[in-house]
Amino acid sequence: MQCCCGEENKLENRFPDTEVDLKPLDVVLEKYKGIKGSLITILQKTQEIYGYLPRRALQHIADVIGVKPAKILGAATFYTQFRFQPIGKYLVMLCQGTACHVNGSEKIEDAICDELKIKDGETTEDRLFTLENVACLGCCSLAPVMMINGEAYGKLTPESARKVIREIFKNETNS
Amino acid sequence: MRVRIGLGSCGIAAGAKKVIAELEKKLAEKDLGIKIEQTGCIGMCFNEPLLEVFDDEGKVSLYGKVTPEAVDRIVEEHIIGGSPVTEFLVSDDDMTFLTRQKRVALRNCGNIDPENIDDYMANNGYKAFEKCLKEMTQEEVIEQIKVSGLRGRGGAGFPTWFKWNATLNAKGAPPKYIICNADEGDPGAFMDRSLLEGDPNSVMEGMMIAGYAVGASEGVFYVRAEYPLAIKRLEMAIEQARERGLLGKNILGTNFSFDLRIKAGAGAFVCGEETALIASLEGERGMPRLKPPFPAQKGYWQQPTNINNVETYANVPWILFNGGSAFSAMGTATSKGTKVFALAGKIKRGGLVEVPMGIPLREVIFGIGGGITDDREIKGVQMGGPSGGCIPKELLDTPVDYESIVKTGAIMGSGGMIVMDETTCMVDMAKFFLDFTQKESCGKCYHCRLGTKRMLEILTRISEGEGKDGDIEILDELAVKIKEGSLCGLGQSAPNPAQSTVRYFRKEYEKHIYDHKCPSKKCKALLTFTIDEDKCTGCTLCARKCAVEAIKGEKKKAHTIDQTLCIKCGNCADVCRFGAVMID
Ligand SMILES: Cc1cc2nc3c(=O)[nH]c(=O)nc-3n(C[C@H](O)[C@H](O)[C@H](O)COP(=O)(O)O)c2cc1C
Ligand code: FES
């Protein structure tokens, strides 16, 4: 549990009230509405649709399945998988597990933060990259490891990590 | 001629997909009519991507660290030319990584196609299950598990038969449930992932046998969301098992009905704890609750539930197929069978290692793992992750069995084994784990929620040179209180990493606190970077790489570092080719 005081963590800032299209969510809710214990699955499907959990979607889930919004938010904020703000086109998951830590993941983080000019949990201004520290991607013998949109990169050095990011950036700005 | 490539997550991360693409292209170009087969992780992660070529005479050649360029030569010289490309073959020395192991749980990993149930069945798959259904009573199945001496591989080492028996004898109306704990929360362990990716059917068969033994009608996998490949392969295997009539109603013509499904976890370490896991399955926050009642009495939806770990289940078909006594013939008096370890950290040959219980740690690290990266000095090994501890090098002759490991202050845990060398700082390790448990504490118990945070604060200040006399004692006191005041295993074991490092590496703590030095040169705040004038050639590389322009000096003359500007990032030391940057 982390402390959540501080301006930037005010409710309005943490859960921006953006318009979203609720139609795709209704399909999910239709399927899981009557099944008990499916709240987390619903939240996972919601995140698959929007890339994060929009406040309006959470409210809609509460209305449709008849569970209090507080309970839904309680479950959603408990798990690290759930996000409440949109992410960039590329999600950089940087492993901070034990093996990666021992093998210098800190330096990789420094390099990526410097390359992208963002910190853990933030998104670049061009909305291309979001950096997220995670605990173990299960490729520990290739430590340090990062995963970008499902693709894993192992045995990183600060230089090779920068190269991967630059490569993606180059492809994006060229096309 | 056949070719096969290892497609576990690690193989893919190491570039197996590029190798396949090149291989497909080459094979198509030459029109050889050879289909590329796939298999799971054989555990030789340090040599990934791995490619096997089977000659028509049955000879197998294993190629390691295969690149697309190597593929071209392998196709030309071996597949077409008939003679193996020796320089790419995995060396005989590296092969001992496999030959020194004893594989029970991992028996099929790297040997069969995990996406094809027929491959599993051709290797005695589901024979044990059929035997149980058709020839054995529920009690007889449990008796074999009892004879085998199998204990839970998820951490605590509880006798498996006892839990099964309790679930079988639980009172009340049906249904009963079987749960597979595939949450693998230890950050630095990957046995369960490899097993599910490499041989999902063996885990399923274990659950199905458990289901029959306790009289359950449904089984649920709780899989970590970070393991998408494992989930995909499980889905395929479950579907195929249904098609073969191994799951569903009246399995194999008996009156036993059983089905399996998968739930993806949502990222919370505490959900590995069984009561929290159940809460999470029910769609709640994953908060643990007091036991008793145990899940065997009141578990999933308040019904009798048996929970075991992935590896525990993977052992079950082997035990029923070969007999409980074949399993108990391996291991020590109280720890039977084999254990899988995920060997990582500063180790030459990292990967999956399965050995009989009771062999010394030294054999795992040096015999199988090949020793320390760059032949540096070993400092110790971390076992049990955030719930475990560091075992110092003096105790490397400790046998790996539940009791001996606990005596050292670590725990067997689920099998994560992180090797540390002289560059690993023990205060930093303790801080790392406390940071983890502090974030992952569910917040229910006061001692766990706040105690871990206080411990982290103290460790942080020690690592920043602000440590005070008496800090070590406060750490100890907090550790005792947190253990006493926490409801679940998370809090009860959270202080272990700090306690065990204080116990064996107290001097290192004292160096931080009293001398403001980090002997392993890891804690940045305590380091000073200077340039050795005699060694510096004035190549200017460090000055150019310095992010804060703290390095000054003329070309071809010795440089200096302005300590007031230096942010201690270590870039200069990393780039210097003459070893002129000194760290103290
Ligand atoms: C904080 C915490 C985390 C745990 N994480 C896991 C885990 O990731 N995988 C696992 O199999 N067991 C884990 N356990 C142990 C389970 O509670 C339980 O003992 C185990 O699943 C029982 O299976 P076994 O008897 O086959 O080991 C954890 C326990 C605690 C207290
Ligand atoms: S510790 Fe980084 S992948 Fe496991």
Side-chain angles (χ1 to χ4, degrees), chain A residues 133-171:
Chain A
N133 281 337
V134 297
C136 194
L137 294 164
C139 305
C140 319
S141 33
L142 299 173
V145 184
M146 69 175 170
M147 195 182 259
I148 302 181
N149 288 6
E151 178 114 8
Y153 301 85
K155 300 208 170 141
L156 292 172
T157 61
E159 276 314 309
S160 71
R162 279 179 199 265
K163 216 173 114 195
V164 172
I165 303 265
R166 277 183 204 151
E167 201 76 10
I168 295 176
F169 186 76
K170 208 174 84 199
N171 288 342

Side-chain angles (χ1 to χ4, degrees), chain A residues 1 36-37 39-41 44 71 74 78-81 96-98 101-103 107 110 135-136 138 140-142 152, chain B residues 10 45 187-188 190 193 224 263-267 280-282 284-286 345-346 428 432 438-439 441 524 574:
Chain A
M1 271 227 338
K36 67 174 179 174
L39 178 57
I40 291 167
T41 313
Q44 284 168 332
K71 188 167 167 195
F78 186 85
Y79 298 96
T80 48
Q81 187 188 22
Q96 301 285 3
T98 321
H101 179 79
V102 170
N103 281 314
K107 286 208 166 142
D110 288 347
C136 194
C140 319
S141 33
L142 299 173
Chain B
C10 36
C45 308
F190 52 93
R193 170 185 68 72
R224 235 177 135 216
K263 273 254 190 185
S280 177
L281 276 181
E282 293 172 354
E284 306 281 336
R285 287 165 75 97
K346 303 277 188 182
D428 180 69
F432 168 78
Q438 176 265 140
K439 280 183 192 144
S441 166
K524 275 187 192 168
D574 288 345

Side-chain angles (χ1 to χ4, degrees), chain B residues 531-544 551-560 576-578 580:
Chain B
I531 293 176
D532 184 340
E533 283 179 23
D534 298 334
K535 285 191 184 156
C536 179
T537 63
C539 75
T540 73
L541 185 60
C542 61
R544 278 180 282 139
I551 305 181
K552 307 261 159 31
E554 280 174 46
K555 215 171 173 179
K556 299 208 171 145
K557 291 213 176 105
H559 282 48
T560 51
C576 182
R577 289 186 303 247
F578 309 99

Side-chain angles (χ1 to χ4, degrees), chain B residues 152-154 163 181 183-185 269 272-274 307-309 312 489-490:
Chain B
R153 301 298 194 235
K163 290 211 278 203
N181 188 343
D183 199 37
E184 194 151 64
F269 173 63
E273 198 281 338
E274 50 196 24
I307 302 189
N308 279 123
N309 163 265
T312 314
L490 190 147

Side-chain angles (χ1 to χ4, degrees), chain B residues 300-315:
Chain B
Y300 190 33
W301 301 121
Q302 300 296 313
Q303 295 298 121
T305 303
N306 178 68
I307 302 189
N308 279 123
N309 163 265
V310 172
E311 188 186 333
T312 314
Y313 284 126
N315 280 311

